[in-house]
Amino acid sequence: MTDFTEEELALDPKFADQFERGFRPPCQLYLISPPAIDAAFADSLAAAFDGGKVAAFQLRLKGMDDHAIAQAAEPLQRLCADREVAFIVNDSIALAKRIGADGVHLGQSDGDPREARRILGPAVQIGVTCHDSRHLAMEAGEAGADYVAFGAFYPTTTKETLHRPEPSILGWWTTLFELPCVAIGGITAANAAPLVAAGADFLAVSGAVWNHADGPRAGVAAFSPVLAGKG
Ligand SMILES: Cc1ncc(COP(=O)(O)OP(=O)(O)O)c(N)n1
Ligand SMILES: Cc1nc(C(=O)O)sc1CCOP(=O)(O)O
Ligand SMILES: [Mg+2]
């Protein structure tokens, strides 16, 4: 696999009709926390969950140590359990293990998915950032990831990003692989339709929910039509 170039890995359109896309559940929302939160954040998260179905919540607090994140996680993890939302920890396999998270999201320099599996066991969801790379996504799949994440599809102020995939990478992935794919980066209710149409299994969203003019409940609710394919 490591011998292929990105170009070689691209699905040649002339062969596309030879592949049949299997059934996939409708696209779902994967909510990412703001990079910093305050003591009242649990109320905002509850409001977001009131806005519509959220499949997963990722606690992504940057620049804090694991001990502080573990403390902040407690009420949020409880709320997620009550609302049947998967609770995913960003960056840290050790923290995910310590607090018994439902999953961990690993960037390309956050740790090895095989090591994460060894430490966290078979039931914990492991996600891997793959930027705009088919190659990284196939490597993540081979390493036992539960989902691959492509991004940033649109400009974002939440994180400095270097990669800008085309929506077609989602169609390529879902045509060839059963493993779910996540689209991330600058996604709003207004620009999400091409990602849903291309085959994203999940939309990972932060700013569009937390910075929504009418609050996080409205921020989540705004995605309902586009997730239903009516955007
Ligand atoms: C669902 C999802 N996709 C991508 C990322 C980005 O992870 P990473 O590249 O490690 O960058 P940071 O989020 O750690 O700044 C993610 N967190 N979640
Ligand atoms: C955390 C993150 N990772 C990205 C990637 O491209 O890997 S983009 C991003 C920011 C997501 O937040 P928003 O929805 O506000 O753009
Ligand atoms: Mg990371």
Side-chain angles (χ1 to χ4, degrees), residues 32 58 60 129 131 150-153 155-159 161 163 184-187 204-208:
I32 310 271
Q58 183 189 120
R60 178 179 179 272
T129 296
H131 304 304
F150 297 110
F153 283 95
T156 173
T157 54
T158 303
K159 174 182 165 68
T161 59
H163 307 275
I184 191 167
I187 300 173
V205 173
S206 183

Side-chain angles (χ1 to χ4, degrees), residues 50-74:
D50 288 340
K53 176 73 189 143
V54 173
F57 169 72
Q58 183 189 120
L59 188 58
R60 178 179 179 272
L61 299 177
K62 301 306 276 189
M64 275 170 73
D65 65 43
D66 275 9
H67 185 68
I69 299 176
Q71 282 186 323
E74 224 181 280

Side-chain angles (χ1 to χ4, degrees), residues 43-115:
D43 295 338
S44 301
L45 186 59
F49 292 165
D50 288 340
K53 176 73 189 143
V54 173
F57 169 72
Q58 183 189 120
L59 188 58
R60 178 179 179 272
L61 299 177
K62 301 306 276 189
M64 275 170 73
D65 65 43
D66 275 9
H67 185 68
I69 299 176
Q71 282 186 323
E74 224 181 280
L76 310 179
Q77 195 173 1
R78 224 178 308 121
L79 179 62
C80 286
D82 287 348
R83 301 295 192 97
E84 297 187 338
V85 176
F87 185 85
I88 313 290
V89 163
N90 191 35
D91 290 339
S92 172
I93 299 167
L95 179 61
K97 174 81 175 173
R98 170 175 165 181
I99 68 174
D102 298 311
V104 66
H105 183 89
L106 300 176
Q108 286 295 318
S109 16
D110 293 329
D112 179 354
R114 286 187 175 86
E115 179 75 348

Side-chain angles (χ1 to χ4, degrees), residues 17 29 120 126 155 193 204 219:
D17 60 359
L29 201 59
L120 298 173
I126 298 171

